[in-house]
Amino acid sequence: MQEPSRSACEVADLGFALGGGDMGAVLRGFDWAATPLGPLHTWPQSLRTAASMMLGARHPMYVAWGPDSLLLYNDGYRQILGARADDPRQVLGKPFREVWTEVWDQVGPMVAATLRGESLWFEDETFTLMRNGFPEQIHASFSTSPIRGENGTIAGVLCVCAETTAKVRSQRERDAALAELATHIDKLQIATDSAELGMFEFDFQSGVLTCSERTRSHFGLPQFEQVSSAMLIGAVHPDDRERVLQETRSVLASREQDRYRCEYRTTALTGGRPRWIVTRGQVMRDDSGQPLRLIGTSLDVTERRQVEARLRLLDAIGEATRVAAEPKAIMEHSTRLLGEYLGVTRVAYADLEPDNDRFTIRHDWRVEGAISTVGVYSLDLFGSRATSNLRVGRTLLIKDVDRELAPGDGHEMFNQIGIKAIICCPLVKQGRLVAMMAVHQQQPRHWSADEVALVEDVVDRCWAHIERVRSTEALREADRRKSEFLATLAHELRNPLAPIRNALELLRLGAGKPALMDKVRATMERQVTHMVHLINDLLDIARISSGKVVLKVERVDLQSVIASAIETSMPLIDAAGHRLALDLPGEPLWIDGDAVRLSQVLSNLLSNAAKYT
């Protein structure tokens, strides 16, 4: 049967809200029901998160999902596909080995190793592709990372790649013509621009760096100013500075090693965070082996680093929460890992009360010295912007409370608990706000789109784990109630058997005594009716699951209830040698109640008295 169509809004909710570009539209409109992946709304959360991250990235990326490595890709990867990308039906959702048959012998072992849990990095790998109707040799640098599913096992592979053909060819040209570098600078500039490479030359005699504008940007160096060795060292991030110096000294001291490669952070910022670059070069020496110059390139790898870091964070959160047995443990692990990764002041989790206004912050992770926000609050006190976004399920994003909020409209409340910037993600169920997770910063902060997307991804995963734990707890509680109900009912089912057995004996001994027969039949009818009532309870699955007894309230004579209880308990009383004294008024005692349940109560009291007196 064909899967019913889903609206664009529903598809966006499935994890592709960030999927911009042509491929975002292609994936949203693609007939996934005709592929092994199935319709979009059936995809697991881990696949949705990976696909959303892939579509939102500028770097070429693909996801190979499942045992057959079914292929998804973004806009950047289309150029690598070449003519294959003209018809997505021939590529999307197809096994990787069918799409890239000519290189599967190279790529297959890499994919298999990643599915075993290895994160791989290859630089300037050579492939021969049939992507435009003829064999073409290309070079590519790429990293592969495992994607874990909801159960913690590895379900797919995420690959971040870049075709480096132009860079490799340029490098070969430079190696062959270093002596003519000055005369060919224009050609090299075009090649490096196409590969987004910066160029530099460092003179060890003068200690001066000559570099392109892109390299200056990578290091945050001022334009049109001579760059000394001290300025260059100062542009390396303090946490990486000593390592870079040691690796550089090691290459310079070795007479056999002239190739230089180093990956590190600089003091230049991108999105509020240090920029990651990789520098590669060739050491030029004099006849005695002393280094003269280092000629090389610089490449910004910040985005690749961020993707890898996000994957490691999500993987760590998945591992920490997968084995958690209660919601509190899930929130403690998740808020700590997210807070440490983002370098924020506080990460808090809150539940909403049924009035859709009061909420309770159950737990908050915070840096040392920050105040705790655990407590009960009114959502309305945080202003119209917070309420209008959160109650309809939109993420609240504030970069500077003092600039963005007016006095009397949430400004005071945010400042009271030390919040100057916030990302708050809501959970709306059946049209009602039920929970929130918030990232707090005690100074104004410019949140990047990647940071907002990361918080939303973490929140989605946390809520999925919390609902899993709560469902498990509900099943355990239902099972406990069922066991208690059945144990009680089994005990009650035995009680009517004794008077029925006695009545059968009286039937055998009292043949020819009509009055006795009538009394015996009445007794058996009452006890059989009682047993039918109890057996109906046993067959009522809903009642067993809830552990509840349903009362059938009607007008009954209490004397008849007492008589039924005595009939049930009398065999046990007689067997124990007890005497039962009964004192009842002559007139009926009318009450509103369940005759069978009242008889059970009195019978249990009498039976316990007979057993334990």
Side-chain angles (χ1 to χ4, degrees), residues 187-338:
K187 288 183 179 180
L188 291 174
Q189 187 66 55
I190 294 172
T192 55
D193 283 348
S194 66
E196 297 185 346
L197 289 170
M199 295 179 57
F200 66 86
E201 178 180 346
F202 185 78
D203 189 316
F204 292 106
Q205 306 299 317
S206 64
V208 172
L209 177 76
T210 304
C211 59
S212 66
E213 291 185 10
R214 182 171 277 118
T215 294
R216 287 180 180 267
S217 174
H218 290 165
F219 284 87
L221 298 170
Q223 298 291 328
F224 313 115
E225 186 174 328
Q226 190 179 67
V227 180
S228 65
S229 58
M231 290 175 63
L232 183 60
I233 294 171
V236 177
H237 193 279
D239 293 344
D240 295 341
R241 195 170 293 156
E242 185 58 34
R243 174 176 61 85
V244 172
L245 288 172
Q246 288 180 357
E247 292 185 20
T248 304
R249 294 186 190 113
S250 175
V251 171
L252 296 180
S254 173
R255 300 297 179 93
E256 300 176 356
Q257 176 63 32
D258 289 335
R259 294 280 186 178
Y260 173 83
R261 182 189 184 280
C262 196
E263 189 167 321
Y264 48 90
R265 289 164 292 179
T266 69
T267 55
L269 299 180
T270 175
R273 292 185 166 227
R275 174 171 291 181
W276 278 92
I277 68 160
V278 57
T279 52
R280 301 180 182 86
Q282 174 81 35
V283 178
M284 309 298 295
R285 303 178 185 273
D286 61 18
D287 293 340
S288 65
Q290 294 299 312
L292 297 176
R293 299 185 306 278
L294 173 63
I295 301 173
T297 61
S298 62
L299 177 66
D300 188 331
V301 293
T302 305
E303 186 172 359
R304 191 241 313 160
R305 278 280 188 165
Q306 289 175 344
V307 170
E308 292 173 347
R310 284 180 65 178
L311 283 174
R312 286 194 296 270
L313 172 66
L314 293 173
D315 188 54
I317 289 176
E319 283 295 300
T321 57
R322 182 170 57 85
V323 296
E326 56 182 14
K328 181 181 178 183
I330 292 175
M331 298 316 305
E332 287 177 350
H333 290 308
S334 302
T335 53
R336 176 181 60 81
L337 290 169
L338 180 61

Side-chain angles (χ1 to χ4, degrees), residues 562 566 570 573 578-584 606:
I562 294 172
I566 291 174
M570 207 62 208
I573 294 173
H578 297 306
R579 182 174 60 86
L580 175 63
L582 187 63
D583 183 13
L584 293 173
L606 290 171

Side-chain angles (χ1 to χ4, degrees), residues 35-52:
T35 74
L37 288 173
L40 282 174
H41 69 275
T42 66
W43 289 12
Q45 182 61 46
S46 49
L47 176 54
R48 300 175 195 170
T49 299
S52 179

Side-chain angles (χ1 to χ4, degrees), residues 453-467:
L454 175 62
V455 174
E456 292 174 341
D457 286 345
V458 170
V459 171
D460 284 343
R461 291 196 173 205
C462 289
W463 282 329
H465 284 296
I466 287 173
E467 288 181 347

Side-chain angles (χ1 to χ4, degrees), residues 107-138:
V107 178
M110 303 173 188
V111 172
T114 307
L115 288 173
R116 291 193 299 268
E118 298 180 35
S119 293
L120 307 179
W121 163 251
F122 297 88
E123 183 175 337
D124 299 336
E125 192 78 5
T126 303
F127 298 96
T128 300
L129 305 180
M130 293 287 295
R131 60 178 176 180
N132 293 305
F134 55 90
E136 180 181 357
Q137 187 181 78
I138 73 158

Side-chain angles (χ1 to χ4, degrees), residues 222-520:
Q223 298 291 328
F224 313 115
E225 186 174 328
Q226 190 179 67
V227 180
S228 65
S229 58
M231 290 175 63
L232 183 60
I233 294 171
V236 177
H237 193 279
D239 293 344
D240 295 341
R241 195 170 293 156
E242 185 58 34
R243 174 176 61 85
V244 172
L245 288 172
Q246 288 180 357
E247 292 185 20
T248 304
R249 294 186 190 113
S250 175
V251 171
L252 296 180
S254 173
R255 300 297 179 93
E256 300 176 356
Q257 176 63 32
D258 289 335
R259 294 280 186 178
Y260 173 83
R261 182 189 184 280
C262 196
E263 189 167 321
Y264 48 90
R265 289 164 292 179
T266 69
T267 55
L269 299 180
T270 175
R273 292 185 166 227
R275 174 171 291 181
W276 278 92
I277 68 160
V278 57
T279 52
R280 301 180 182 86
Q282 174 81 35
V283 178
M284 309 298 295
R285 303 178 185 273
D286 61 18
D287 293 340
S288 65
Q290 294 299 312
L292 297 176
R293 299 185 306 278
L294 173 63
I295 301 173
T297 61
S298 62
L299 177 66
D300 188 331
V301 293
T302 305
E303 186 172 359
R304 191 241 313 160
R305 278 280 188 165
Q306 289 175 344
V307 170
E308 292 173 347
R310 284 180 65 178
L311 283 174
R312 286 194 296 270
L313 172 66
L314 293 173
D315 188 54
I317 289 176
E319 283 295 300
T321 57
R322 182 170 57 85
V323 296
E326 56 182 14
K328 181 181 178 183
I330 292 175
M331 298 316 305
E332 287 177 350
H333 290 308
S334 302
T335 53
R336 176 181 60 81
L337 290 169
L338 180 61
E340 290 174 347
Y341 177 83
L342 291 176
V344 296
T345 305
R346 186 186 304 107
V347 183
Y349 173 79
D351 289 322
L352 266 290
E353 301 297 332
D355 63 7
N356 211 31
D357 175 46
R358 286 178 302 126
F359 64 92
T360 303
I361 296 181
R362 305 286 182 190
H363 167 77
D364 63 359
W365 171 90
R366 57 196 184 278
V367 296
E368 185 176 354
I371 63 171
S372 173
T373 56
V374 171
V376 181
Y377 302 86
S378 168
L379 184 59
D380 286 335
L381 293 178
F382 288 85
S384 58
R385 183 167 170 184
T387 57
S388 62
N389 278 274
L390 298 175
R391 283 181 176 146
V392 297
R394 282 197 303 265
T395 296
L396 173 66
L397 180 64
I398 298 178
K399 301 174 183 177
D400 189 337
V401 166
D402 295 335
R403 287 178 175 271
E404 298 179 39
L405 299 183
D409 194 21
H411 177 273
E412 292 80 6
M413 195 64 201
F414 279 109
N415 277 285
Q416 184 176 331
I417 56 178
I419 299 175
K420 293 293 186 181
I422 185 172
I423 302 172
C424 186
C425 297
L427 174 63
V428 173
K429 293 285 188 179
Q430 297 178 340
R432 190 175 71 83
L433 179 62
V434 296
M436 301 180 292
M437 183 189 282
V439 173
H440 299 165
Q441 189 74 42
Q442 61 186 4
Q443 302 91 19
R445 176 165 173 169
H446 181 85
W447 305 107
S448 69
D450 285 341
E451 289 171 335
V452 176
L454 175 62
V455 174
E456 292 174 341
D457 286 345
V458 170
V459 171
D460 284 343
R461 291 196 173 205
C462 289
W463 282 329
H465 284 296
I466 287 173
E467 288 181 347
R468 169 184 59 80
V469 169
R470 286 177 175 167
S471 296
T472 302
E473 290 175 347
L475 288 173
R476 289 198 192 103
E477 179 62 19
D479 188 61
R480 183 190 63 78
R481 289 196 298 263
K482 178 181 68 175
S483 299
E484 291 178 355
F485 186 87
L486 291 175
T488 302
L489 194 58
H491 172 74
E492 297 292 345
L493 280 170
R494 287 192 291 268
N495 288 339
L497 294 177
I500 291 174
R501 189 183 298 111
N502 286 349
L504 290 171
E505 182 67 17
L506 288 174
L507 283 175
R508 187 178 64 80
L509 298 174
K513 298 178 182 179
L516 178 60
M517 294 300 100
D518 290 342
K519 181 179 179 181
V520 168

